[in-house]
Amino acid sequence: MCSIGAVALDEDYNRAEVFTVNLEFPPAAAHKWDDNTMEWWKQWPEQWEAHRYSPLPVVDAMQMFADWLDEMVEGKPLFVAWPVGFDWGFVNDYFHDYLGRNPFGYSPLCLKNYAAGVLRNPAMLGGSREEALMPDGWLVTPESIGLLPHIAINDAIAQSMMIRNIMRYTG
């Protein structure tokens, strides 16, 4: 995991606070480099460099994130992402590996699945272009709001705006 980006929303689903931190790569990670992943990063050099700016030791970064969550959220925070299967795996593993606990518990929410349920549209659950099925005004990408994609905080900001759009739709 290169970095963490998170957004806390207020009761009206507006952005209240943001958290971001870049992580040092643990020594064991040097033995786990995936060649396909590194090839993928070559097409995003600006984003790769952004992730390498002032990284912190992983245990410190994860503790800072846990402390921020405790400060921002009463009760258990909710982890929401698109795609949740990718992001959740890293965050959950790092919390357990470095802090021995995950403040989110075991119940992440997939933003895509949530939208599909709200819309009662199972077609959104498959394929690679399910965002094309999103209603006008729901889909927010980093690029659509003037941010670089594939930077954790930018992705989190865009996804928080999507959550707000969906929640306003549902009333």
Side-chain angles (χ1 to χ4, degrees), residues 26-162:
H31 305 289
K32 297 179 183 179
W33 287 115
D34 177 74
D35 292 336
N36 293 326
T37 300
M38 295 315 296
E39 277 300 311
W40 181 86
W41 274 115
K42 287 180 182 177
Q43 67 183 318
W44 307 101
E46 191 173 356
Q47 287 88 330
W48 176 254
E49 286 303 314
H51 288 106
R52 304 317 330 132
Y53 179 77
S54 298
L56 297 179
V58 177
V59 69
D60 296 342
M62 297 311 293
Q63 187 61 59
M64 287 172 58
F65 188 29
D67 293 345
W68 181 81
L69 289 167
D70 289 342
E71 182 182 321
M72 288 293 108
V73 180
E74 287 185 35
K76 189 175 292 295
L78 178 61
F79 185 97
V80 181
W82 178 329
V84 76
F86 186 78
D87 296 336
W88 173 255
F90 283 106
V91 172
N92 184 51
D93 283 351
Y94 273 55
F95 268 131
H96 283 287
D97 287 350
Y98 293 96
L99 297 187
R101 67 182 182 91
N102 182 344
F104 292 106
Y106 295 99
S107 300
L109 176 65
C110 179
L111 186 53
K112 176 179 69 168
N113 293 354
Y114 180 64
V118 167
L119 294 171
R120 298 180 182 194
N121 186 351
M124 291 182 66
L125 299 177
S128 61
R129 300 302 306 167
E130 50 282 308
E131 63 267 13
L133 301 172
M134 294 282 274
D136 288 341
W138 279 28
L139 182 65
V140 181
T141 64
E143 300 94 329
S144 71
I145 55 174
L147 300 173
L148 290 173
H150 309 301
I151 294 177
I153 191 59
N154 294 356
D155 292 344
I157 289 169
Q159 291 175 26
S160 74
M161 295 171 75
M162 289 177 66

